[in-house]
Amino acid sequence: MENFLLLGICFGLGLLFRRLPQFPENTPKVLNGFILFVSLPSLVLYHVHELKINVSAIMPTSMPWLVFGFALVVFLILYKLKIMTFPTTVCLVLTAGLGNTSFVGFPLLETYLGKESLGYGILADQLGTFMVLSFPGIILASIAMDGKWNIITLVKRVLGFAPIYALVFAILTRQIEYPNSLKIVLLRLGDTLTPLALVSVGFMLDLRTIAGHGKYLLIGLGFKLVLAPVLVYYVYRPIQNDQLLFQTILLESAMAPMVTSTVITIEKNISPHLASLMLGIGIPLSFITTYCLNFLIKGNFI
């Protein structure tokens, strides 16, 4: 409950700050900069370093790559059919193609499936969702930002993504035990990610923009909360004998849009209002859709 309360408070603060003169228009830019250069690298340093990897990691790790790839195909087809612009397409790939597999995902997994599911959830988040964001996600965002494909520019963009360095360092130092004091500092800095991101999104959220983005919002959330879990169900159905693994993968695929990918989409000015709507409406809506999915799972309807 405390996680859900934090969601509501941070969204509310963002909406409030937007109306206060003490918080200028560039407030989200400042908050997003701190997130991308401090909060997220701290989380990566801690979790990737501590992650235990084994053969069973393959299944939960592969799911975010599958969903992102499917989102890329679906939304690029809609772009080719001239149903949406390229920035809108990239915005939906980055928000609907990547799920909130940690902050929202972990509490919901623990509630629905118990703590035993969290190991699979961490693998899906760190080696799946984060890796997708760090490489194909950043490359796609850079293409949308620059308006063209330039390999040198793309490499510079990827190398300019601070969490990449944290990821490499965490992998290289996996055999070295971090001091407890460092772990505590990394966790506390990492804990700032979700509150700051939600305040930033709340600041950006303007429900009046639904009128201009309603169709794309419906398409994006329809894909993320409904179509993606259906796809995952059929792809991973052969492993449903391992009930916990299968149910964890299925529920993680149904989570709301990822906070960090939304922040990056807003930061790079890729349909920022649509991105904030995807997250701002997607998170509370996902509580209902994941509850329904869990009911179907537990009732042996699927």
Side-chain angles (χ1 to χ4, degrees):
M1 286 301 298
E2 61 269 20
N3 288 300
F4 302 146
L5 181 61
L6 180 63
L7 284 171
I9 290 174
C10 290
F11 271 127
L13 286 174
L15 292 169
L16 174 64
F17 293 164
R18 181 176 179 150
R19 289 159 176 75
L20 298 179
Q22 292 87 347
F23 294 89
E25 284 296 316
N26 68 338
T27 294
K29 188 174 184 63
V30 174
L31 294 177
N32 296 344
F34 187 91
I35 290 166
L36 296 177
F37 283 90
V38 179
S39 308
L40 185 55
S42 298
L43 276 181
V44 172
L45 277 173
Y46 179 83
H47 286 293
V48 173
H49 181 270
E50 299 293 308
L51 199 59
K52 307 300 179 188
I53 304 173
N54 52 41
V55 177
S56 64
I58 296 174
M59 288 301 174
T61 298
S62 63
M63 180 273 293
W65 291 88
L66 173 73
V67 172
F68 184 84
F70 189 48
L72 188 61
V73 171
V74 169
F75 294 125
L76 280 178
I77 289 174
L78 295 178
Y79 165 67
K80 290 295 184 181
L81 294 174
K82 302 187 184 303
I83 293 175
M84 56 181 67
T85 64
F86 188 66
T88 299
T89 301
V90 174
C91 174
L92 290 182
V93 172
L94 292 175
T95 53
L98 289 162
N100 197 324
T101 48
S102 55
F103 181 73
V104 172
F106 293 166
L108 288 181
L109 282 181
E110 186 173 355
T111 300
Y112 296 145
L113 303 178
K115 289 185 178 180
E116 298 80 8
S117 65
L118 292 181
Y120 293 134
I122 290 171
L123 289 170
D125 182 67
Q126 293 297 308
L127 296 183
T129 305
F130 175 72
M131 293 293 190
V132 176
L133 173 66
S134 299
F135 295 102
I138 290 299
I139 290 172
L140 186 61
S142 299
I143 292 172
M145 185 179 179
D146 298 327
K148 58 184 178 180
W149 174 280
N150 184 300
I151 188 64
I152 296 176
T153 302
L154 291 179
V155 170
K156 288 181 179 179
R157 296 283 188 202
V158 171
L159 293 179
F161 187 49
I164 290 292
Y165 297 98
L167 175 64
V168 173
F169 185 82
I171 292 173
L172 292 177
T173 59
R174 277 179 58 81
Q175 303 304 317
I176 303 172
E177 180 67 20
Y178 286 174
N180 285 332
S181 56
L182 176 60
K183 291 181 182 180
I184 292 171
V185 169
L186 290 175
L187 278 175
R188 288 186 176 176
L189 287 173
D191 284 343
T192 62
L193 188 150
T194 297
L196 291 181
L198 293 174
V199 169
S200 175
V201 170
F203 194 100
M204 284 285 300
L205 187 63
D206 186 352
L207 295 178
R208 292 172 298 181
T209 61
I210 290 181
H213 298 293
K215 177 174 70 173
Y216 307 120
L217 182 66
L218 183 62
I219 292 172
L221 291 180
F223 174 90
K224 185 70 200 75
L225 303 178
V226 180
L227 188 56
V230 170
L231 168 73
V232 168
Y233 169 76
Y234 283 106
V235 171
Y236 291 88
R237 188 166 53 173
I239 66 164
Q240 62 184 328
N241 287 335
D242 189 337
Q243 193 175 61
L244 183 62
L245 175 60
F246 176 68
Q247 292 177 354
T248 301
I249 291 174
L250 189 55
L251 279 170
E252 282 282 54
S253 72
M255 296 301 166
M258 185 186 189
V259 171
T260 312
S261 66
T262 304
V263 168
I264 290 172
T265 306
I266 293 171
E267 175 70 12
K268 295 186 179 296
N269 199 33
I270 306 169
S271 295
H273 290 296
L274 175 58
S276 63
L277 286 170
M278 284 288 292
L279 186 66
I281 295 176
I283 287 180
L285 187 59
S286 71
F287 297 154
I288 299 172
T289 56
T290 54
Y291 178 85
C292 294
L293 179 59
N294 183 60
F295 173 77
L296 293 174
I297 291 172
K298 295 296 178 59
N300 294 318
F301 293 107
I302 60 175

